Amino acid sequence: PGTNDLIALAAGGADVADDLLELRRTQADLDSPATMVYTSGTTGEPKGAILTHRNFVGQVRNVAAAYREVVRADGNTVIFLPLAHVLARGLQLICLAGGMRIAHVSDPTEVVDSLGVLRPTFLVVVPRVLERIRNAAAEKADGARLGALWRAAVRTAVSWADHLEAGTRPDAVLHARRAVFDALFFRRLRARMGGRLDYILSGGGALDPDLSRLFRGIGVPVIEGYGLTETTAPLTGNLPDDIRSGTVGYPLPGSTVRISEHGEILARGVGIFSGYRDPAHTAEAFVDGFFRTGDLGRLDDDGRVVLEGRLKDVIVTSNGKTVVPQPWETRVEADPLVAHAVMVGEGRSYLSALLVLDRAATEAWADAQGIRLDAVSGEGVTPISEPGLVAHLQRSVDAANARVSHSEGVRRFALVFTDLDDTRLVTPTMKIKRRALLERSGNAVDDLYR
């Protein structure tokens, strides 16, 4: 209530003449700016991207055409990403154009509890939400002394999804195992998500392929896609009847993708923005008429896009080794206690990492182990050196190191707590702003090289 409420806003327009209102309503054409959306700034300064009405209209028409099974008049969804994010903005328009009902939930922590009431037919999430659902299910199973059964259920779901992706028939044993685990776990998980969920769309970050397979095996397929502020949300996407875990799918109708000689994903199409607010930024953003996404990737044998990290995140060590951090980081972030893994080592002789802990999950783990963690307060970065916790996460680091070459493995790591609700540190899609974290973590990083 007060000067910034909607009633005050309406009152402020009381003296606007009808003819002026009509002029403002009708004077924009397809090539007029519709909005300016700032990039998240995970690797640098946020930039104001100017998106036109043509960008949004093109995306609405083309995305709706590609996802008719998902966007339908008898469906509904929940949007919990802030509308400052282009994915939420584009999704809202696509749903409105398709006649779908939309509910908005402002607090991401309330989303799961709201699903039983709102009962969506599809949901757009960032990978972290799916990780939380999986981790909560695992915790509940452990609490009921069913942890071993839950882990067997996960393996069964992943195997089931492997058959679906390969187009092969599961054998009778797998059929029977899945039926048992469906009764024990999967049916309850689907009910927890509202009971009507046909598909989950995931974007805003890399999704662990096994996490995608888990949800598909449970009976809720995850359609992973890829886009940026500058592409007006989706650029590529898996299709409902053609999902390949570990990829972000094909270029969507109206869009073209190619890979540069340096491995950068280049894009052209209806959703590509008209430029940045600063013309100097615009000049650097295009090559041969294609937008430079800043993301590294490749095309698989079928033409699907596979993401391989951010160009600006690439680390060059002092011995000249070039390392893309994302594969290692994604594997470590599969651990429920790790909110974000950030590899460091630019200009250094070996690689290290900061593991930003999920406070609630870590404190619950510590309580279960009878370990007391030091109180943490303030907005800085607090190192955590509890030996039991370090030993526990050493296993996740070792497992990630085993999946990459020796020179791409991390030799030392530090555990830290920080405020993950701080928008100066974390984007609306729950990605860490690497530069901001490293600026706050100077001493912790320096200690890794002493």
Side-chain angles (χ1 to χ4, degrees):
T3 56
N4 293 321
D5 67 22
L6 292 176
I7 295 172
L9 178 65
D15 295 330
V16 177
D18 289 348
D19 56 349
L20 179 59
L21 180 64
E22 184 67 6
L23 174 64
R24 291 290 186 267
R25 191 183 74 80
T26 58
Q27 68 180 358
D29 61 23
L30 283 173
D31 294 310
S32 299
T35 186
M36 186 187 301
V37 180
Y38 276 79
T39 60
S40 59
T42 53
T43 55
E45 177 189 357
K47 302 172 185 175
I50 301 169
L51 304 176
T52 66
H53 291 281
R54 189 181 299 278
N55 292 144
F56 281 107
V57 170
Q59 287 291 65
V60 165
R61 287 178 169 172
N62 284 283
V63 172
Y67 294 100
R68 286 191 178 93
E69 301 97 321
V70 181
V71 182
R72 60 180 201 268
D74 62 340
N76 66 296
T77 191
V78 181
I79 297 178
F80 58 91
L81 290 171
L83 289 172
H85 194 280
V86 73
L87 179 58
R89 193 90 61 89
L91 171 64
Q92 180 175 251
L93 292 174
I94 290 164
C95 292
L96 288 172
M100 289 191 70
R101 191 180 75 213
I102 306 167
H104 290 274
V105 177
S106 62
D107 185 350
T109 63
E110 296 177 358
V111 171
V112 175
D113 289 339
S114 74
L115 299 182
V117 178
L118 299 170
R119 303 188 69 214
T121 56
F122 90 94
L123 197 61
V124 172
V125 302
V126 294
R128 192 67 184 157
V129 172
L130 299 181
E131 291 168 7
R132 285 176 176 172
I133 293 173
R134 176 197 59 193
N135 296 343
E139 264 183 46
K140 193 168 184 179
D142 284 337
R145 299 187 177 181
L146 296 173
L149 269 178
W150 167 252
R151 288 186 285 276
V154 170
R155 292 192 295 271
T156 298
V158 170
S159 296
W160 185 269
D162 284 337
H163 280 285
L164 294 179
E165 286 195 10
T168 56
R169 288 178 62 85
D171 60 25
V173 174
L174 185 56
H175 261 285
R177 286 171 63 87
R178 187 179 182 278
V180 170
F181 289 131
D182 191 71
L184 276 174
F185 298 114
F186 303 162
R187 193 178 301 162
R188 297 179 187 184
L189 260 178
R190 293 195 300 270
R192 183 85 171 104
M193 293 185 283
R196 298 178 66 223
L197 206 55
D198 296 322
Y199 298 99
I200 295 174
L201 279 69
S202 176
L207 178 66
D208 179 3
D210 280 344
L211 188 58
S212 172
R213 294 186 184 101
L214 168 61
F215 277 86
R216 189 172 189 181
I218 286 170
V220 187
V222 178
I223 300 172
E224 191 175 3
Y226 161 69
L228 301 91
T229 301
E230 296 90 340
T231 64
T232 320
L235 174 66
T236 73
N238 281 283
L239 300 175
D241 59 351
D242 189 4
I243 296 173
R244 182 65 55 83
S245 301
T247 81
V248 290
Y250 302 103
L252 293 175
S255 298
T256 301
V257 165
R258 77 180 189 193
I259 308 298
S260 78
E261 60 180 328
H262 304 295
E264 183 179 9
I265 299 170
L266 307 178
R268 186 170 64 188
V270 295
I272 302 301
F273 75 136
S274 62
Y276 294 112
R277 185 177 182 182
D278 184 341
H281 291 153
T282 305
E284 300 168 357
F286 290 85
V287 58
D288 298 333
F290 280 77
F291 169 63
R292 299 183 58 196
T293 65
D295 288 311
L296 295 170
R298 59 181 174 83
L299 301 177
D300 71 6
D301 293 340
D302 296 318
R304 298 181 182 87
V305 176
V306 179
L307 298 179
E308 297 186 326
R310 289 286 294 167
L311 194 59
K312 288 184 178 179
D313 290 347
V314 169
I315 294 170
V316 181
T317 62
S318 61
N319 56 19
K321 175 66 179 176
T322 300
V323 179
V324 178
Q326 182 177 297
W328 186 92
E329 292 172 346
T330 301
R331 291 183 179 108
V332 175
E333 287 169 356
D335 190 298
L337 305 190
V338 180
H340 303 282
V342 177
M343 185 185 284
V344 294
E346 180 69 29
R348 309 273 195 168
S349 58
Y350 58 87
L351 298 171
S352 296
L354 293 176
L355 306 189
V356 182
L357 301 174
D358 182 298
R359 185 167 305 193
T362 302
E363 289 176 348
W365 177 89
D367 287 343
Q369 301 297 316
I371 294 172
R372 181 175 178 178
L373 296 176
D374 293 335
V376 179
S377 61
E379 63 176 29
V381 172
T382 305
I384 303 295
S385 56
E386 162 56 44
L389 183 57
V390 173
H392 176 76
L393 287 170
Q394 182 70 58
R395 292 195 286 272
S396 293
V397 170
D398 290 343
N401 283 346
R403 299 284 295 274
V404 297
S405 69
H406 178 71
S407 60
E408 294 173 323
V410 161
R411 190 179 302 180
R412 300 184 68 190
F413 64 94
L415 310 181
V416 299
F417 274 136
T418 192
D419 181 5
L420 293 177
D421 293 323
D422 187 344
T423 56
R424 294 167 297 177
L425 193 64
V426 180
T427 74
T429 52
M430 304 181 195
K431 288 183 288 191
I432 198 79
K433 296 184 180 182
R434 304 172 76 93
R435 181 182 294 178
L437 177 69
L438 294 176
E439 285 174 355
R440 295 187 187 186
S441 309
N443 291 337
V445 173
D446 290 341
D447 286 346
L448 294 170
Y449 291 94
R450 290 192 176 119

